[in-house]
Amino acid sequence: MFTLNKTYLFAAGCALLLYGCASAPREAAAPQWVTDPDAVYSGTEYLNGVGEGANRAEAESQAAAALAKSIVQTVEAASSASQQYSSADAADGIAQNYQSVVQTSSSIEGIAGARIREAWTAPDGTVYALAQINRSESGNVYKSRIDANTAVIAALINQADRRGPSFESLTALRQAQALAEENKSDLILLAGINSNLARVVDLPYKSADAVRVLADRMQDALSVALSVSGDTNGRIAAALSQALARIGLKTTGEADDAPLLLEANFSVEPADIDPQYAYVRFTLDVILTDTATGTAEFSFSRNGREAHMSESEAAQRALRAAETLIAAELTDELSRLTDAQQSAAQ
């Protein structure tokens, strides 16, 4: 049996302690952009948003949401400070509409120039991502888009002014309205991304609401003259007037002054001979014409057969069938002339 030297034991203990300290894993330090992105990427040059999640996709999604929030906060600051912009859409629209616009752009794909700049995985598996926008680059994209739309809007308004009341003019103004709404959304985002560029935006048409008013007035000016043949008691004309009213067009008796002329022909004639029933065949032809150019804007043609115990009653059934066709099918087809314009502007 032997006794270990105390000095030896002390040295061995120290060696074990040093080995343990050297072999213990060191906690990886988070990059500075995780906690203070503006210190790494200047806030005057970039908009930054940091997100975290259990995986890369979740972290990027949260980063995009944070980036959108930073845009919201910038626009809020601009609005509360009552900064003056050179258009009614910017001055009036920012305060009321920025939230919905930015919320619909809360993904990287929805914001021009946005991208994931950095990603880092912490030792515990949490993933961090940095979404970023270069204020100058993204701002120029939105500014260029607004300027291009503004030029097209001006051309469409001029086209409608030269042409006067017509479906062609109404189509042009609804297209201009749709572009003005795009500009409104882009201008709100631009104000949050690069307020200096937003201040120099010039909208000669003033605002999207102003263009909508122009389009609505054009639609109000589109009166339609009716000319109906074979309508012995005026029921076909009444049904056609109701169909036009449903799409926002009013009828007038002055064919020479009306921009549009709707001509209809309704005819009923005996059909098959049957010992028990009387059959009639009816035809309904409708055409809507631009009186200035003679261009047919719309046409509709239907026919059918009705039967009853007497020919007069069969004719009444034919008349009711024609009224039903006008109220349903003709109205649906006629509405495409304005529905497409309305939906494009919404």
Side-chain angles (χ1 to χ4, degrees), residues 296-344:
E297 301 284 357
F298 169 84
S299 62
F300 179 88
S301 183
R302 295 291 187 276
N303 60 71
R305 193 176 71 158
E306 296 293 332
H308 202 270
M309 299 298 294
S310 68
E311 185 177 319
S312 62
E313 287 298 326
Q316 286 299 311
R317 284 194 169 189
L319 181 56
R320 288 193 292 272
E323 289 174 319
T324 300
L325 285 170
I326 292 171
E329 294 184 28
L330 182 141
T331 301
D332 287 343
E333 293 192 20
L334 192 61
S335 66
R336 294 173 189 170
L337 291 172
T338 53
D339 281 354
Q341 300 146 1
Q342 291 282 11
S343 62

Side-chain angles (χ1 to χ4, degrees), residues 104-176:
T104 59
S105 301
S106 60
S107 67
I108 291 297
E109 293 78 10
I111 305 174
R115 66 189 179 108
I116 298 298
R117 179 66 181 263
E118 303 270 14
W120 176 73
T121 303
D124 64 359
T126 303
V127 181
Y128 295 85
L130 171 66
Q132 188 177 87
I133 292 175
N134 183 299
R135 291 179 183 273
S136 178
E137 293 176 0
S138 180
N140 284 325
V141 169
Y142 282 110
K143 177 68 163 53
S144 297
R145 186 187 299 175
I146 291 169
D147 289 344
N149 280 349
T150 299
V152 176
I153 291 168
L156 290 169
I157 292 175
N158 288 334
Q159 174 187 333
D161 285 342
R162 291 194 305 270
R163 178 68 178 80
S166 66
F167 271 116
E168 179 185 338
S169 296
L170 179 59
T171 298
L173 290 177
R174 290 302 185 197
Q175 291 173 347

Side-chain angles (χ1 to χ4, degrees), residues 233-290:
N233 52 17
R235 287 170 58 178
I236 297 296
L240 290 170
S241 294
Q242 292 174 3
L244 291 168
R246 289 190 186 100
I247 64 167
L249 299 177
K250 60 180 180 293
T251 56
T252 177
E254 301 297 329
D256 293 338
D257 297 331
L260 299 169
L261 171 63
L262 189 145
E263 298 174 285
N265 178 65
F266 177 67
S267 62
V268 179
E269 57 186 21
D272 302 334
I273 299 176
D274 186 281
Q276 292 184 332
Y277 298 99
Y279 288 87
V280 298
R281 180 176 295 279
F282 72 89
T283 302
L284 175 66
D285 294 313
V286 179
I287 186 168
L288 181 67
T289 305
D290 184 317

Side-chain angles (χ1 to χ4, degrees), residues 169-231:
S169 296
L170 179 59
T171 298
L173 290 177
R174 290 302 185 197
Q175 291 173 347
Q177 181 186 346
L179 291 174
E181 290 292 344
E182 288 183 15
N183 272 2
K184 186 174 184 177
S185 297
D186 284 348
L187 185 53
I188 291 168
L189 287 171
L190 178 58
I193 293 169
N194 191 320
S195 59
N196 290 331
L197 283 178
R199 291 190 189 95
V200 299
V201 168
D202 181 30
L203 305 181
Y205 60 83
K206 302 302 181 184
S207 70
D209 285 343
V211 181
R212 177 186 54 77
V213 169
L214 289 176
D216 290 345
R217 287 176 179 171
M218 180 62 71
Q219 183 162 332
D220 289 341
L222 283 178
S223 58
V224 183
L226 276 180
S227 175
V228 184
S229 60
D231 185 19

Side-chain angles (χ1 to χ4, degrees), residues 16 58 83 88 101 169 317 330:
L16 288 172
E58 184 178 331
Q83 295 188 19
V101 172
S169 296
R317 284 194 169 189
L330 182 141

